[in-house]
Amino acid sequence: MRQKLVAGNWKMNGSRASIKELLDGIKKGIGDVVNSEVAVCAPAIYIGEVESQLSGTPVAWGAQNLSTEASGAFTGEIAASMINDFNCKYVLVGHSERRTLYGEGDAVVAKKYAVARAAGLKPVLCIGETLDERESGVTEQVCARQIQAVIELEGVDALADGVIAYEPVWAIGTGKTASPEQAQEVHAFIRRILADQDAGVAEKVQILYGGSMNAANAAELLAQPDIDGGLIGGASLKAEDFLTICRAAG
Ligand code: PEP
């Protein structure tokens, strides 16, 4: 039985004050979330504060991006070793906003996955189709291609060390959620293509759904057999909504 994981992606939101308030709220309510894992992925500049506030609690923390490089003249970039230095457990790779706004292609995302894994972090590989791609009937091909880039670089075993987040681009931040059936269909497809290469990896890997998951729709999505948790953007910025999603995960 795979443990569920609910991970918040704060994106570029918050301040020292608002993050303290948010974490105070999460810490207060997290006691009754017993079975699922919970994490928050913070803007890099706040990770140190998040570490101080979450150390010793059941909530893990992570980063939203990392460099493909180890160190050196890469102004503005953040290395895996730095993320590790702040005891992050997770790092998002290939979020659709990185792919579309910052031109990260499959090869760069795969390299980031590899670098994160080598540093002992758990990469959360974000994949998913655009609206055009869904309407053209190529959702499965797009997801398979995005996963295959990691497999080609690192081997299928590498996926057992990370997490996959299926996030249809048309559902991210739009208020349009994939229906539980639509999401389950893609999650089952992802598990099937992994099983074709390694049944053990397919069974083990957590596949999260992301895309306008909120307090009202989480329970139905999380009840699907191949949905192992959620990657939550907007709703992770409100402690009560985030906790409701965590409780829905069980
Ligand atoms: C995300 O950013 O990964 C995400 C799923 O955002 P939202 O929940 O706001 O759609």
Side-chain angles (χ1 to χ4, degrees), residues 9 11 95 97 167 171-175 210-213 231-235:
N9 171 18
K11 313 193 191 202
H95 189 279
E97 286 147 22
E167 300 203 295
I172 298 179
T174 58
S212 298
M213 193 188 273
L231 182 56
I232 321 297

Side-chain angles (χ1 to χ4, degrees), residues 166-185:
Y166 167 60
E167 300 203 295
V169 179
W170 49 272
I172 298 179
T174 58
K176 276 189 216 154
T177 318
S179 69
E181 297 72 27
Q182 276 175 322
Q184 166 57 26
E185 195 175 297

